[in-house]
Amino acid sequence: MTQTTETAAAGLGSDGRRPRPRIHRAWFVAAVTFVTIIGAAAFRSVPGLFIDPLHAEFGWSRGTIGAAVSVNLALYGLTAPFAAALMDRYGIRRVVAVALVVIAAGSGLTVWMTAAWQLLLCWGLLVGLGSGSMALAFAATVTNRWFTERRGLVSGILTAASASGQLIFLPLLAWIVETYDWRPAAVTVALAALAVVPFVWLLLHDHPADVGQKPYGAQEFVPKPAPVPGAARRALKVLGSAARTGPFWLLAGTFAICGASTNGLIQTHFVPAAHDEHMPVQAAASLLAVIGVFDVVGTIASGWFTDRFEARRLLAVYYALRGVSLLFLPILLAPSVHPPMVLFIVFYGLDWVATVPPTLALCREHYGDDSPIVFGWVLASHQVGAALVAFLGGVARDVFGSYDVVWYASGALCAAAALMALVIRRRGAGEPVAV
């Protein structure tokens, strides 16, 4: 054997050195996805900041404003499974780019509204539809296509992107609302969504086969599947199949409570609830941003845990801890920020969407290749739960004059979610997927 042959057999280059390993393209796609979700997350930061300004300017009740937020949150979830199917039909890049443009249009048009139905149309319908196509089903599709290893970690990182966007935009938008008006904040949201479109169009590849690579961690090349026609029909067919299985309803139920206790409750009503206790709006918004900081840490850590521990037990722990923390919140709200409130914010931030990686893992375990669409329907339940609490929380504030009953009820719901998670059965090694 010649020296050249021996060198090649040893995996060395012609100069006798081992070649530097190339970074897999999947990580670049994940990075673009992360930046995309960050840019789109601006619209997720706004509803809680707009409740008091809209109430003051137009005289709309908090229940009326909450209804628009409720429509937004519900459509965010109900659009997700169809968006996942559309990505299979038309590709990730096209669907996400169009969604960002729709978000920008809906947010930008709010600056001219004069009636409550226009808020429902712009913020509820348009932003809801656009955001639904940018929902976590987007992250699930990217993870499933580009990774066979490190899926838990990647899903945690991409889920954390939304919290990172909140961290970046929430203090800025709160400052704009307090210093100028709510209208410049709405325009900022529209511009942020538009700014991401070029990155999506130029850098976000639909499938590893588009660049001649295997998914990260795969042993064999995976050809790009043919476009799947009938996106709506497929989404409904997958729902029909999944709905005949027990794990789907348990996952949907727990995730509905997750949405109720995060997007519907804290993200929508924390700022006005803190303002009721005479805390400055910017200080309350900054606390929400701190939740975003620890949400990033908690979600990535949850992805790491999901690769190593049983997903249903992780869910039970997450929901139980969240429920306990909510029971203490009414006695922590005060005119100023104090150490126990900071402790709550840190604790709640670590748990905010830590539920996503184990929920995704359970969808993959039980539903295989259809798991992104199944997760889209599970996410729909998440947003329905969020929508109900966004609306009912505003009504409760109008009726009772405080949010206390909402905090206690949400804590009890989280305890129920912990029990539901433990009931989810494990799929046997030789058992076929449910769909």
Side-chain angles (χ1 to χ4, degrees):
M1 183 180 293
T2 65
Q3 182 176 356
T4 303
T5 305
E6 291 175 351
T7 301
L12 305 178
S14 58
D15 59 356
R17 298 180 180 179
R18 190 174 300 277
R20 181 179 298 175
R22 295 176 58 189
I23 299 176
H24 196 283
R25 183 67 66 90
W27 294 109
F28 291 103
V29 172
V32 174
T33 304
F34 186 88
V35 172
T36 302
I37 297 174
I38 284 179
F43 65 84
R44 306 293 304 146
S45 307
V46 169
L49 301 178
F50 279 12
I51 289 178
D52 285 337
L54 292 177
H55 174 70
E57 179 171 338
F58 298 107
W60 300 335
S61 71
R62 289 175 175 83
T64 298
I65 301 168
V69 177
S70 178
V71 171
N72 176 292
L73 293 172
L75 286 176
Y76 175 87
L78 294 172
T79 305
F82 297 98
L86 284 171
M87 288 176 190
D88 287 341
R89 175 68 178 88
Y90 297 105
I92 299 173
R93 179 171 56 181
R94 292 178 181 176
V95 173
V96 173
V98 171
L100 288 167
V101 173
V102 172
I103 289 169
S107 182
L109 288 172
T110 58
V111 301
W112 290 289
M113 67 183 179
T114 57
W117 69 266
Q118 295 165 344
L119 178 66
L120 285 167
L121 174 64
C122 295
W123 202 260
L125 180 63
L126 290 179
V127 177
L129 289 174
S131 62
S133 300
M134 285 291 301
L136 292 174
F138 169 40
T141 301
V142 170
T143 303
N144 278 13
R145 289 187 183 183
W146 282 89
F147 293 86
T148 58
E149 292 182 357
R150 302 289 189 269
R151 280 178 168 174
L153 176 62
V154 174
S155 62
I157 292 172
L158 296 183
T159 302
S162 181
S164 300
Q166 176 176 293
L167 165 64
I168 294 169
F169 287 106
L170 192 54
L172 171 64
L173 294 173
W175 176 80
I176 292 173
V177 170
E178 282 205 325
T179 306
Y180 299 101
D181 190 16
W182 62 269
R183 288 178 176 84
V187 172
T188 302
V189 171
L191 294 177
L194 286 177
V196 184
V197 174
F199 292 96
V200 171
W201 195 255
L202 296 175
L203 301 175
L204 188 60
H205 297 286
D206 287 327
H207 195 276
D210 290 340
V211 290
Q213 288 196 344
K214 300 179 292 186
Y216 179 82
Q219 300 300 316
E220 298 179 355
F221 182 81
V222 178
K224 184 177 181 178
V228 181
R233 184 171 62 253
R234 184 181 177 216
L236 293 172
K237 180 181 178 181
V238 170
L239 172 62
S241 299
R244 292 194 292 270
T245 66
F248 173 80
W249 291 106
L250 291 168
L251 288 169
T254 56
F255 225 41
I257 294 171
C258 178
S261 56
T262 53
N263 300 86
L265 180 65
I266 296 296
Q267 191 163 41
T268 304
H269 294 294
F270 178 81
V271 171
H275 192 53
D276 283 348
E277 302 297 330
H278 309 292
M279 181 182 293
V281 171
Q282 197 165 351
S286 297
L287 288 176
L288 274 186
V290 174
I291 284 181
V293 175
F294 288 94
D295 183 13
V296 174
V297 177
T299 309
I300 294 175
S302 178
W304 188 86
F305 290 142
T306 302
D307 286 332
R308 290 160 176 80
F309 300 104
E310 191 176 347
R312 65 191 186 99
R313 296 187 185 277
L314 288 175
L315 282 180
V317 171
Y318 296 157
Y319 285 122
L321 293 176
R322 183 183 300 178
V324 170
S325 67
L326 283 173
L327 296 178
F328 285 96
L329 183 56
I331 64 175
L332 298 178
L333 290 170
S336 61
V337 179
H338 49 88
M341 172 57 77
V342 175
L343 180 62
F344 168 85
I345 292 296
V346 172
F347 189 86
Y348 209 82
L350 290 171
D351 192 57
W352 182 268
V353 285
T355 55
V356 173
T359 301
L360 268 171
L362 288 167
C363 284
R364 282 194 296 267
E365 177 183 334
H366 287 278
Y367 303 104
D369 291 339
D370 285 325
S371 60
I373 297 177
V374 174
F375 180 72
W377 286 112
V378 171
L379 178 63
S381 72
H382 180 282
Q383 293 309 115
V384 168
L388 285 173
V389 171
F391 172 66
L392 294 176
V395 172
R397 170 61 178 80
D398 291 333
V399 172
F400 299 107
S402 77
Y403 285 99
D404 287 359
V405 66
V406 184
W407 307 131
Y408 295 136
S410 298
L413 284 174
C414 289
L419 295 175
M420 292 166 65
L422 290 175
V423 175
I424 300 173
R425 63 180 177 83
R426 299 184 63 182
R427 189 174 68 86
E431 183 181 346
V433 293
V435 179

